[in-house]
Amino acid sequence: MARKRLIIEMGMGIDQHGQDPTVAATRAVRNAIAHNALPGVWEVARLDHPNQMYVDVQVAVPYPEQVREEEVLAVLPFGQKTLRVESGGMVTVGRAIPELEDKNDDMLIAVAAVTVSVD
């Protein structure tokens, strides 16, 4: 059976202090799923459990090779999860605060798309 997309949610996440692309990526995914409900999974797709849905995540973030993928996917409570991380997002200049363990003035911005599909 072919997969059918039910929903695509977009989000943005920022690590203002710490310069950690994983933090920015997890915040972007959390932002994407923060304000939704998926009644179509039950009422239209007739799934018995939310782990039967497929959740595909695409994240664009600076320094994608540093992203700890398991931490990003852990944001998602259910589903058969996949993650694609690619170079993108933005680095902009903030202000380093030594007490926050900043390495420099960079702020990392990530964008995410979370797609939910069913068979």
Side-chain angles (χ1 to χ4, degrees):
M1 204 180 276
R3 287 188 193 171
K4 301 289 184 184
R5 295 177 298 163
L6 288 179
I7 187 170
I8 302 171
E9 292 286 339
M10 285 68 63
M12 180 186 73
I14 304 167
D15 186 15
Q16 294 182 42
H17 302 284
Q19 297 74 44
D20 188 337
T22 300
V23 171
T26 57
R27 288 178 178 164
V29 172
R30 189 173 289 114
N31 179 250
I33 67 169
H35 302 286
N36 64 41
L38 301 176
V41 168
W42 310 107
E43 298 171 11
V44 177
R46 302 188 191 279
L47 298 185
D48 297 320
H49 194 278
N51 279 332
Q52 292 174 297
M53 65 184 173
Y54 299 93
V55 184
D56 300 305
V57 178
Q58 180 180 0
V59 176
V61 64
Y63 318 115
E65 69 283 352
Q66 295 177 23
V67 172
R68 297 177 301 281
E69 294 186 7
E70 64 284 347
E71 290 181 36
V72 177
L73 289 176
V75 171
L76 303 167
F78 297 107
Q80 298 177 48
K81 310 166 194 177
T82 62
L83 174 64
R84 185 173 75 207
V85 181
E86 58 191 57
S87 183
M90 179 185 292
V91 178
T92 192
V93 178
R95 178 70 180 197
I97 300 174
E99 293 84 0
L100 297 177
E101 300 182 20
D102 281 322
K103 301 172 196 79
N104 54 48
D105 289 334
D106 289 350
M107 293 191 316
L108 305 184
I109 302 171
V111 293
V114 178
T115 302
V116 175
S117 305
V118 296
D119 282 327

